[in-house]
Amino acid sequence: MDTPKDASFAYQAVYRYLVEMIEASPAQGEQKLPSLRQLAQRLGVSVSTTKYAYSLLEDEGRVYAKPKFGYFTRWVPGPLSTGHPPTLLDQVFASARQPGMLALSSDAPAMLLSLENPLLMIERELARLYPRSLSPLYLPFGEPELRAALAEHYTCSTANYWQADQVYIGADLHSVLELSLNALGLEGTVALVESPCSWAILRQLQAAHIRVIEVPLDADGRFDLVALNERLRQEPIRLAVLSSTVNIPHGSRMPTEDKQLICQWLAERDIWLFENDTYGELYFTPQPARYRDFADRQKLLVFSTFDKVIGAEAPYGYVLCRGHGPQLQRLFLKRAFRLSPIRQKAIAKLFTSQRIDPHLHKLRAVLQASMTRMNTLLDEHSQGTFEVVIPQGGASFWLEAKHPVDMHRVFERLLAERIVIAPGELFSQQGAWKQHVRLSFTLDWSKDIAQAVEQLARAIRHSP
């Protein structure tokens, strides 16, 4: 590795090198990492540079130091980790990380247009202004500047505003959802979710011992409102988890009048609304209404992450919640997240310097162009294999096979051709959507995507 011309960038390059090393490792448990001196010699940088890179990873909870032994990865089992054979989801993730694989299952909108370079440049400048010795060991609710920036970003009127002390930042989406469910006393209750639903949300609800009621979306992205109202009347539902703008991964949009009616029903029954805003900004025009525009403000929690918009260098999760501040503060204090203050300050600067909104405008345009490009390939190669509905935002198509298919066999056949797909059943706890597949259009278009789409269509056509 060449030493960067500006040494202040060196630790960022070492940090990225270590992240890629950790993520590429096939090991399931903790593993020893190179010593400070070994890494410095390997990469041609100073020991102090490698020390700072390791410190960033330590703050983020990815590694820890053993006195006299060096640095080790910190192994955190998933919420459903067991000693059983790997699940389909485990196989999808493990396969997608293998070298040479083409992941049609990817979920990274920012790979098409990220803010990682500006983020790291801002961090470099801030590191000069805020010496590490003056930074607090941890800020349990998140860096104050970032919390204030998020509150301002989500405020849209005098009737619908947020304050910094209503924002909580954690290591990732899993962490902030876990703490929120615990703080609000929702563990072991009943939740209603749109279906298909994000696998990450389904796993987190199951980890909290929450019984999940899946309400299917039709092709237009709507619920059967009569059936939904009946479910709300009959079941002891305490929580509803719904996508803010575009239904994810379905790609459709719930009509405004439906959202308003659903919020009315939830408020009448004192049901918490958890609004999933991870793709909330990634809609195609016009801008849809959000559930939070109509929800009971005291029974609303909005959750999201930065990585879908900024990139992998901003992995933190966050929630906004007006009520139950003491309970949330107590649990966030107990967890005591060690997140890099400088990285959080840099993310805050992206918001306060007015870079986020222009970036979102460009990212939406790039996503829509990529979606159109993928749709053209589907028209050319599917030969009637799929039912294709044009997504209204997000980063993927939700495809339905037109004849009965064993999608497990399709998955395995494509793995042999070094292609990874995300079968639809990953997005249901109850075995629904077995004839569906989520097809990403946030891809490395320098690869032969057309051939991959043709192979996908052929595998489905020839599957029993």
Side-chain angles (χ1 to χ4, degrees):
M1 173 177 173
D2 294 329
T3 304
K5 293 180 181 179
D6 189 331
S8 59
F9 278 114
Y11 77 92
Q12 296 167 349
V14 176
Y15 169 88
R16 289 194 297 271
Y17 173 85
L18 287 168
V19 168
E20 291 177 5
M21 174 190 292
I22 293 168
E23 292 181 347
S25 171
Q28 296 299 310
E30 297 175 350
Q31 58 172 314
K32 191 177 188 308
L33 294 167
S35 71
L36 298 177
R37 192 169 301 281
Q38 287 173 334
L39 192 61
Q41 291 176 347
R42 180 186 304 176
L43 302 182
V45 297
S46 68
V47 172
S48 62
T49 295
T50 58
K51 171 63 176 174
Y52 189 58
Y54 269 126
S55 296
L56 282 178
L57 291 168
E58 191 173 13
D59 285 345
E60 293 172 2
R62 300 194 193 200
V63 305
Y64 71 101
K66 287 184 180 180
K68 300 183 180 180
F69 289 96
Y71 285 92
F72 293 78
T73 58
R74 188 182 295 278
W75 181 61
V76 181
L80 296 184
S81 179
T82 69
H84 297 115
T87 65
L88 177 60
L89 182 62
D90 296 329
Q91 294 177 58
V92 169
F93 273 87
S95 301
R97 289 170 55 183
Q98 296 301 314
M101 285 289 189
L102 175 56
L104 298 182
S105 58
S106 62
D107 183 28
M111 73 177 291
L112 296 180
L113 185 69
S114 82
L115 278 172
E116 291 182 342
N117 285 337
L119 175 68
L120 296 177
M121 290 180 67
I122 293 172
E123 183 176 292
R124 169 200 174 194
E125 296 301 319
L126 290 173
R128 295 171 177 169
L129 297 174
Y130 298 93
R132 188 166 180 77
S133 60
L134 299 182
S135 298
L137 291 178
Y138 70 89
L139 296 160
F141 314 129
E143 214 288 328
E145 289 181 35
L146 182 53
R147 298 174 73 200
L150 283 172
E152 180 181 352
H153 182 72
Y154 276 86
T155 292
C156 56
S157 71
T158 55
N160 192 356
Y161 62 89
W162 298 89
Q163 302 287 359
D165 62 1
Q166 297 166 339
V167 181
Y168 305 85
I169 300 168
D172 51 27
L173 184 61
H174 156 71
S175 301
V176 296
L177 280 179
E178 177 189 17
L179 292 183
S180 299
L181 291 169
N182 190 345
L184 301 179
L186 295 170
E187 292 183 329
T189 61
V190 180
L192 180 145
V193 304
E194 63 200 5
S195 186
C197 180
S198 161
W199 66 266
I201 292 172
L202 291 175
R203 277 199 159 190
Q204 196 56 55
L205 293 175
Q206 189 168 351
H209 308 290
I210 291 174
R211 179 165 68 89
V212 172
I213 296 173
E214 298 180 5
V215 181
L217 295 164
D218 65 19
D220 296 324
R222 304 184 69 177
F223 295 135
D224 180 334
L225 291 176
V226 174
L228 173 62
N229 194 25
E230 187 67 14
R231 279 296 188 98
L232 292 172
R233 188 179 67 83
Q234 292 182 348
E235 299 278 4
I237 295 168
R238 294 277 311 282
L239 165 69
V241 185
L242 303 170
S243 298
S244 61
T245 56
V246 181
N247 302 320
I248 299 300
H250 198 264
S252 57
R253 297 196 296 190
M254 185 75 66
T256 300
E257 58 273 19
D258 289 17
K259 290 183 175 180
Q260 192 167 8
L261 184 58
I262 291 166
C263 286
Q264 177 186 325
W265 289 343
L266 297 179
E268 289 171 354
R269 294 165 173 84
D270 202 32
I271 295 172
W272 272 96
L273 170 60
F274 274 39
E275 186 179 56
N276 179 5
D277 204 40
T278 52
Y279 285 85
E281 301 283 5
L282 303 182
Y283 53 82
F284 304 148
T285 55
Q287 177 178 329
R290 296 164 167 85
Y291 282 100
R292 61 180 177 268
D293 298 334
F294 313 109
D296 176 357
R297 296 171 63 189
Q298 297 306 312
K299 285 286 184 175
L300 169 68
L301 182 143
V302 182
F303 65 89
S304 188
T305 62
F306 299 105
D307 61 308
K308 304 300 182 195
V309 169
I310 296 176
E313 297 287 352
Y316 310 130
Y318 61 88
V319 299
L320 296 92
C321 185
R322 292 186 177 86
H324 298 263
Q327 295 95 315
L328 285 163
Q329 290 175 13
R330 177 176 59 83
L331 289 181
F332 272 78
L333 274 169
K334 185 177 180 181
R335 179 64 63 89
F337 290 114
R338 289 177 57 86
L339 310 178
S340 167
I342 298 297
R343 179 62 54 88
Q344 292 182 78
K345 286 177 181 291
I347 296 172
K349 288 293 184 184
L350 290 176
F351 283 90
T352 58
S353 64
Q354 308 300 316
R355 295 196 189 203
I356 290 291
D357 287 341
H359 171 72
L360 286 170
H361 181 75
K362 293 178 183 177
L363 179 57
R364 285 192 285 263
V366 171
L367 284 169
Q368 190 163 16
S370 185
M371 180 275 291
T372 302
R373 188 174 181 180
M374 178 61 80
N375 189 47
T376 299
L377 294 179
L378 291 171
D379 286 343
E380 291 177 0
H381 299 292
S382 70
Q383 299 179 15
T385 303
F386 313 119
E387 185 72 38
V388 179
V389 178
I390 305 300
Q392 301 300 304
S396 60
F397 282 87
W398 185 249
L399 304 178
E400 180 180 8
K402 287 190 174 181
H403 70 274
V405 169
D406 183 343
M407 206 60 79
H408 273 265
R409 294 189 65 177
V410 172
F411 171 77
E412 291 168 357
R413 177 173 178 173
L414 289 172
L415 271 189
E417 299 175 6
R418 308 199 67 74
I419 296 172
V420 186
I421 62 169
E425 66 182 88
L426 294 177
F427 305 92
S428 167
Q429 278 189 1
Q430 279 122 43
W433 312 111
K434 289 190 175 181
Q435 300 299 302
H436 293 73
V437 62
R438 187 190 72 180
L439 178 66
S440 174
F441 48 79
T442 57
L443 302 164
D444 181 356
W445 288 94
S446 67
K447 298 181 178 178
D448 194 347
I449 306 300
Q451 182 180 352
V453 171
E454 184 177 10
Q455 289 172 279
L456 170 62
R458 186 167 57 247
I460 290 178
R461 279 197 300 271
H462 294 161
S463 177

